[in-house]
Amino acid sequence: MNRRRFVAGTGAAGAALASATALTAAPRIAHAQQNFRWRMTTTWPAGLPFYQVGPGSAAAFADRVDKMSNGRIKIQVFAAGELLPAFEGFDAVSSGTVELNHGVSYFWSGKTFAAQYFATVPFGMSFLGHYAWLQFGGGNQLWEETYRPLNVVPFAAGCSGVQMTGWFKKEIKSLADLKGVKMRIPGLAGRIYSSLGVEVRQLPGGEIFPALERGVIDAAEFVGPFLDARLGLQNAAKNYYASGWHEPSTVSEIVIQRKIWDALPIDLKDIVRAAADATNQEGLFLLEARNADALDTLVAKDKVNVRALPADVVKALRAATADVLNDATKKDAQTKKVHDSFFAFKRKHDKWSEISEESFLVNART
């Protein structure tokens, strides 16, 4: 072989390979450096902790994504009414008007009944079981499947844990006392209360206090002691009911336009997922840390009466829940699919919970 020809050929091939590599790498480098500027609407009043600002909030998620992506994704957050009315954000994302929305799925349950199972289910599971179902029981996959026709991708992003039943101007002594009560209550719980004679209202968080104070409504549910006190609900009603039957583990969601999500680089997808997951857990821990102190203040300073729902009310609510859910599964195949998955997981998890966490709690308090 001619040595000079071999060396020259090798050099030409090397140059060609280097040129091809550069051409191939160029789009990748450009893609990696692509920046995104998004807008996120929410259903929450400006300044509201946990939901709008602070740990576990929409703003916390946006800040976490910014830092984790080194500024490649920046999200401008708009409270309810700043860019859109409280309950219009989901539609805006679905239609491509804004990029993201933060809320709870029961606010748009009219689009698909099945969506509510991913937020919470009356008499369902606590945070431990509910989030285990989402992460490792097929819940997240069903959530994405349910939302696919709506052109959005969902993420859990803020869990309240067990909520309070709510505030009532008058004491509820029996099931008969619920008849005709005008109550702010969203989602599945609203349908269930309605079947028992309650006049249900769905109001954004920022409208609850003035409606309760002026007597437009007789009762209202929001979240729990820490956040309820921030709305001033203790100044409009003094009977505060517990049990959390309706929302044992309420998970907020962030939805993003599907076309934007599909086009996002893999590393940025992982960042969004991780930021949402961290925000979800952070929110839960925040409320677990704040609710006890807030409840003490409500009782000692604001003279709030903390009460348990009467047994006949709980019994009727449980029966009505079964009726509403069973009826929904008969009308929609996707709802039945999600329902069956949720309750199959719950049956198994209940057995473990009974001999683990519940058993521990009983022994720890004796």
Side-chain angles (χ1 to χ4, degrees):
M1 178 181 290
N2 186 303
R3 184 173 177 276
R4 290 183 178 178
R5 288 181 181 175
F6 176 79
V7 172
T10 303
L17 178 61
S19 177
T21 301
L23 288 171
T24 303
R28 293 180 180 175
I29 293 171
H31 189 60
Q33 294 175 340
Q34 187 176 1
N35 294 323
F36 299 87
R37 299 294 178 264
W38 296 339
R39 294 168 300 166
M40 178 163 64
T41 52
T42 79
T43 63
W44 318 115
L48 183 66
F50 174 77
Y51 285 119
Q52 188 67 25
V53 298
S57 69
F61 167 79
D63 184 60
R64 188 169 276 118
V65 169
D66 184 2
K67 291 176 179 176
M68 292 172 67
S69 69
N70 197 27
R72 290 165 63 194
I73 300 178
K74 289 189 177 295
I75 303 171
Q76 186 177 6
V77 181
F78 296 90
E82 290 181 343
L83 190 63
L84 292 169
F87 298 143
E88 293 185 13
F90 186 95
D91 279 342
V93 177
S94 181
S95 66
T97 304
V98 297
E99 288 77 22
L100 303 98
N101 184 70
H102 186 284
V104 181
S105 63
Y106 49 52
F107 289 135
W108 26 90
S109 60
K111 300 184 181 306
T112 169
F113 188 97
Q116 297 172 96
Y117 287 79
F118 308 109
T120 191
V121 178
F123 298 104
M125 293 182 280
S126 70
F127 167 77
L128 289 174
H130 191 106
Y131 205 51
W133 172 66
L134 288 176
Q135 292 283 68
F136 299 107
N140 279 334
Q141 290 76 14
L142 285 170
W143 200 354
E144 185 169 345
E145 179 183 302
T146 300
Y147 276 12
R148 182 174 288 277
L150 302 171
N151 303 313
V152 301
V153 179
F155 303 94
C159 180
S160 70
V162 179
Q163 296 197 6
M164 292 289 281
T165 298
W167 300 84
F168 291 75
K169 286 182 173 288
K170 295 181 180 180
E171 186 177 352
I172 303 298
K173 297 180 180 180
S174 70
L175 182 61
D177 291 331
L178 285 178
K179 301 288 185 181
V181 169
K182 298 185 291 293
M183 184 177 186
R184 182 272 180 187
I185 183 81
L188 280 168
R191 296 189 185 210
I192 293 160
Y193 271 125
S194 181
S195 72
L196 299 180
V198 174
E199 296 181 23
V200 172
R201 305 284 189 272
Q202 181 158 292
L203 301 172
E207 297 179 18
I208 299 174
F209 172 74
L212 189 60
E213 183 185 41
R214 295 197 308 266
V216 175
I217 54 177
D218 308 309
E221 175 275 350
F222 189 50
V223 182
F226 177 66
L227 291 174
D228 290 7
R230 291 301 183 102
L231 292 187
L233 302 184
Q234 71 277 15
N235 298 316
K238 294 298 182 182
N239 296 294
Y240 198 25
Y241 280 86
S243 86
W245 70 272
H246 66 306
E247 296 190 40
S249 176
T250 307
V251 177
S252 300
E253 67 178 22
I254 286 173
V255 293
I256 180 173
Q257 289 179 29
R258 173 159 289 282
K259 64 179 181 180
I260 290 176
W261 177 254
D262 289 344
L264 205 62
I266 293 175
D267 62 327
L268 292 185
K269 284 183 177 179
D270 284 343
I271 284 172
V272 170
R273 287 193 189 97
D277 189 53
T279 303
N280 195 56
Q281 296 180 56
E282 181 182 60
L284 174 72
F285 300 147
L286 170 74
L287 295 190
E288 285 295 304
R290 298 285 184 266
N291 275 332
D293 288 342
L295 186 60
D296 286 345
T297 300
L298 288 172
V299 172
K301 180 182 176 182
D302 300 299
K303 308 305 179 185
V304 166
N305 302 306
V306 178
R307 306 182 186 279
L309 285 173
D312 68 326
V313 173
V314 175
K315 182 179 179 180
L317 289 168
R318 186 182 291 277
T321 296
D323 289 342
V324 169
L325 295 181
N326 288 336
D327 183 60
T329 61
K330 294 175 182 177
K331 294 178 179 178
D332 178 64
Q334 185 64 18
T335 296
K336 185 178 188 310
K337 184 176 182 180
V338 175
H339 175 97
D340 289 349
S341 172
F342 181 94
F343 281 98
F345 190 92
K346 174 176 161 50
R347 283 190 292 272
K348 291 186 293 183
H349 185 265
D350 282 352
K351 293 178 182 178
W352 165 240
S353 179
E354 183 178 358
I355 65 171
S356 58
E357 186 180 21
E358 293 173 32
S359 176
F360 163 74
L361 289 174
V362 169
N363 291 329
R365 288 172 183 153
T366 31

